[in-house]
Amino acid sequence: MELRQLRYFVAVAEREHISEAAENLHVAQSAVSRQIANLEEELGIELFERVGRNVKLTPIGKTFLEYTIAALQAIDFAKKQVDEYLNPEKGTIKIGFPSSLASFLLPTVISAFKKEHPNVSFHLRQGSYRYLINAIKQRELNLAFLGPVPAKDDAINTKILFTENIAALVPASHQLATKEEIQLADLRNEGFVLFPDGYILNKVVVEACKSVGFTPKISSEGEDMDALKGLVAAGIGVTLLPESAFYDSTPRRTKKLALVEPPFTRNVGVIYPVNRELAPSEKIFLNFVSQFFTRLSQFK
């Protein structure tokens, strides 16, 4: 069994079409067909069945695909470890991040890191809170930024980098806009614009409101920070956002208000796997990030 056969097999399985797989692999269709036939002969099973001009995995083919993908990922990771052991300053760091950290944390950290390690490359993957946790557990990623940081478990390590306040954002015409700070309970009768149910920042806001005795009335939803800011600016409702969402600026026609009695915060950090070692360049980056935010906190 050869690596080439396994990679051809995965390419055909993903496209369910031999000629399309061959085109993607930049080889002749006959070469792909021959290697698939050799693989099936060696295994003693049929991996595909023909459906018109396409092919479809057999039940045992689906099982074999699952293990093949895992094996190829392990081999690719092992080669990456060897390459980076030889020269960690030329590695590639794959990082996951949610949209809420895209405008401040990610560019700030990566630009600072690149000044000290200019030859290290980055592969960035945006995803939901739940996706990023699962990606770490399933070997798709080794590092991911998250806020708030999930509880440590048997599969993931966690490192809190900083804690930030949650602030209220209201339309500039709102009666509370003349104030600089409010209590969260002051918003109990307002319509809220929030991330959809299932997003972590939806959960953070709903739990914060419930902790002071009310459930927020959701008037509209948006799937990113800019959408929520725009809805507030249009007078559709109020929202709660982390301080880092305002580092560039507070949107026009809105007013940011500090929350007091009680204040609300979220922690932000990085997660990484328990059951496998980070690549050398990833270790360098993780150490850099930890020291970077430690230094920042000293100036606050």
Side-chain angles (χ1 to χ4, degrees):
M1 191 178 303
E2 302 176 4
L3 280 178
R4 177 178 56 177
Q5 292 174 335
L6 298 179
R7 295 191 190 281
Y8 285 11
F9 164 67
V10 172
V12 173
E14 289 176 341
R15 292 162 181 79
E16 296 188 335
H17 203 285
I18 292 177
S19 61
E20 289 182 9
E23 183 177 350
N24 180 263
L25 293 165
H26 305 292
V27 297
Q29 180 177 336
S30 59
V32 175
S33 298
R34 182 170 60 254
Q35 292 301 328
I36 295 296
N38 291 343
L39 180 60
E40 290 180 322
E41 182 178 356
E42 181 176 348
L43 293 171
I45 59 172
E46 287 190 355
L47 296 169
F48 296 99
E49 58 182 349
R50 291 202 168 273
V51 181
R53 299 179 64 182
N54 290 24
V55 293
K56 183 178 180 182
L57 284 168
T58 61
I60 191 60
K62 292 179 181 178
T63 300
F64 187 71
L65 175 65
E66 179 182 346
Y67 286 100
T68 298
I69 290 174
L72 290 175
Q73 286 176 341
I75 291 169
D76 289 342
F77 181 75
K79 184 179 183 303
K80 182 173 182 284
Q81 291 283 76
V82 172
D83 292 342
E84 293 192 15
Y85 176 80
L86 296 173
N87 191 348
E89 289 294 335
K90 289 190 176 180
T92 298
I93 303 172
K94 191 173 182 179
I95 303 175
F97 67 97
S99 61
S100 66
L101 298 177
S103 62
F104 164 69
L105 182 143
L106 209 63
T108 300
V109 170
I110 290 180
S111 62
F113 181 81
K114 291 285 283 183
K115 288 180 181 179
E116 296 186 17
H117 307 275
N119 295 319
V120 174
S121 301
F122 286 88
H123 182 113
L124 305 177
R125 175 69 169 88
Q126 183 176 337
S128 68
Y129 191 82
R130 186 175 301 135
Y131 164 79
L132 294 174
I133 293 174
N134 288 336
I136 294 292
K137 293 182 177 182
Q138 296 172 8
R139 306 178 71 99
E140 294 179 37
L141 294 170
N142 274 348
L143 294 170
F145 289 115
L146 282 180
V149 177
K152 185 180 184 302
D153 63 25
D154 293 339
I156 58 172
N157 284 311
T158 64
K159 181 182 289 291
I160 294 175
L161 300 174
F162 63 92
T163 299
E164 62 178 337
N165 291 324
I166 302 290
L169 188 68
V170 303
S173 59
H174 196 280
Q175 61 183 358
L176 294 174
T178 58
K179 300 179 179 292
E180 296 301 322
E181 57 185 38
I182 61 171
Q183 296 183 20
L184 182 53
D186 293 337
L187 300 176
R188 67 170 58 249
N189 296 319
E190 303 293 332
F192 278 72
V193 293
L194 298 181
F195 284 92
D197 186 31
Y199 282 63
I200 190 63
L201 284 179
N202 174 289
K203 181 180 179 181
V204 168
V205 173
V206 171
E207 289 183 351
C209 293
K210 287 183 176 179
S211 72
V212 296
F214 74 97
T215 299
K217 295 179 291 185
I218 302 174
S219 58
S220 294
E221 295 178 340
E223 295 189 357
D224 58 58
M225 297 283 194
D226 289 339
L228 295 183
K229 293 176 185 177
L231 290 170
V232 173
I236 304 299
V238 304
T239 195
L240 304 184
L241 294 174
E243 282 284 351
S244 58
F246 305 106
Y247 283 170
D248 290 336
S249 64
T250 300
R252 294 177 56 193
R253 297 189 295 277
T254 68
K255 178 68 178 292
K256 184 185 75 168
L257 305 172
L259 293 174
V260 296
E261 298 181 13
F264 290 95
T265 63
R266 76 161 180 175
N267 57 38
V268 175
V270 62
I271 64 173
Y272 52 102
V274 169
N275 57 357
R276 62 187 182 277
E277 188 174 0
L278 297 178
S281 59
E282 292 169 338
K283 290 180 181 178
I284 292 172
F285 181 74
L286 183 60
N287 184 58
F288 174 88
V289 168
S290 180
Q291 294 182 359
F292 180 82
F293 284 100
T294 297
R295 290 195 299 268
L296 277 186
S297 66
Q298 295 172 352
F299 292 99
K300 290 186 177 181

